[in-house]
Amino acid sequence: MGRHVCCTEKKLRKGLWSPEEDDKLYNHIIRFGVGCWSSVPKLAGLQRCGKSCRLRWINYLRPDLKRGSFSQQEEDLIITLHSILGNRWSQIASQLPGRTDNEIKNFWNSTLKKKLRQRGVDPATHKPITNAVQSDTKKPGSDNSSVNEALGEEKLMVKQVFNPFPETEFQAVSDSNYITPYPNEMLPFLGFEDYTGVLDVSDSYGYGDSSSNSNSSNWTCGNIGPEVTDVLETDHVLNWTSAEVQLHASGDEQFEQKIVFPCQENAMRTLCRDPFGTSREALANDLNMDYF
DNA sequence: AAGACAGCCAACCGCACCCTA
DNA sequence: CTAGGGTGCGGTTGGCTGTCT
């Protein structure tokens, strides 16, 4: 382990990127793609390490990045996702089209934490600041004093929520960019055979290797409300809406849950992809849009 | 006008994980 | 099985910029 080889080389430049460097990196990746990051700087004629190039591309040069300040809806979603996922910035970012993990992390640390505290909410636990302490006292084995313990417990819970579908058991959900909209208690009921609730808005703007899952989403989407169509008729900028999604579990259980998700043109296109051709076509027709 | 301070954000660092030979 | 290279991620840092005194 330890430090990466490229980072120890002394000749390499550090610090802010010049416009010329940006041009070189951008042109190289547009023309040849990424391939191996460690070879990118050499091929692009840059005195940078591959890691630095990767970061620059992901956080600044990617053409699908959204600029500008966060909308209220994005802000709300970040808070919601953070309450579920904790500091898993990359996974939070995967649900916000055009936003990077770094950007969200900075926004959280500089702005959102402060806002939550002003509202009397502990940004670490997402509980009212006074109640967070009180609730700790109820937990078995808790000595009531440690916020860190509370945090640790939250992290454990998050793990259970977020990775309920081991790749070996359900190959369609094969990476961590997926977020389930399910509450904890529903997870045990969801079968592998007919698992259909995962919203995939990640691979239309994913990082780096985005090819591996492009055909593997496995979900159906029912009862999308009229508000979705409204979104599609706007200017294809980032919009937000809600939709009713039916979640079919194995057996006869069926769940419904209102969820909120980001809608961008690409995201909606992704949303309309599912493994069942007829419903995909029907859905696309309903939404008056192309499908693939 | 200038120095101090605070906030923001781009970029770096170090670690963990994955993959392959 | 193991070592080493490549990659991704979260935490942290440092510099720039705006605001205050």
Side-chain angles (χ1 to χ4, degrees), chain A residues 69-108:
Chain A
S69 54
F70 285 81
S71 67
Q72 185 58 50
Q73 287 88 350
E74 285 176 302
E75 192 177 311
D76 293 342
L77 185 66
I78 291 168
I79 292 169
T80 302
L81 290 173
H82 187 271
S83 71
I84 300 168
L85 297 167
N87 292 357
R88 297 181 176 189
W89 305 116
S90 63
Q91 290 172 6
I92 292 172
S94 73
Q95 303 306 310
L96 283 109
R99 301 296 190 183
T100 70
D101 53 355
N102 206 33
E103 195 177 9
I104 293 169
K105 179 171 60 182
N106 284 332
F107 183 55
W108 175 264

Side-chain angles (χ1 to χ4, degrees), chain A residues 168-231:
Chain A
T168 51
E169 292 184 276
F170 189 74
Q171 64 176 24
V173 183
S174 60
D175 78 13
S176 56
N177 284 331
Y178 293 84
I179 278 187
T180 94
Y182 314 129
N184 248 358
E185 56 271 23
M186 282 172 65
L187 294 173
F189 298 105
L190 293 168
F192 297 117
E193 184 180 309
D194 188 23
Y195 165 71
T196 54
V198 170
L199 270 183
D200 171 17
V201 292
S202 62
D203 64 6
S204 58
Y205 54 91
Y207 294 172
D209 175 18
S210 60
S211 60
S212 58
N213 293 304
S214 58
N215 293 316
S216 62
S217 297
N218 184 8
W219 54 274
T220 52
C221 187
N223 297 344
I224 288 190
E227 61 273 73
V228 174
T229 310
D230 293 342
V231 167

Side-chain angles (χ1 to χ4, degrees), chain A residues 195-198 200 214-222 224 268-284 291-292:
Chain A
Y195 165 71
T196 54
V198 170
D200 171 17
S214 58
N215 293 316
S216 62
S217 297
N218 184 8
W219 54 274
T220 52
C221 187
I224 288 190
M268 284 307 296
R269 284 171 175 274
T270 305
L271 193 59
C272 288
R273 185 182 61 229
D274 71 36
F276 312 106
T278 52
S279 57
R280 174 177 60 184
E281 187 170 8
L283 183 58
Y291 67 94
F292 64 98

Side-chain angles (χ1 to χ4, degrees), chain A residues 255-266:
Chain A
F255 301 97
E256 288 188 17
Q257 189 181 9
K258 186 112 177 172
I259 61 166
V260 177
F261 56 91
C263 289
Q264 202 181 27
E265 182 181 27
N266 284 344

Side-chain angles (χ1 to χ4, degrees), chain A residues 120-133 135-136 139 150 154:
Chain A
V121 176
D122 182 350
T125 63
H126 293 267
K127 294 172 182 170
I129 285 168
T130 49
N131 290 355
V133 176
S135 65
D136 283 343
K139 293 185 172 148
E154 184 184 57

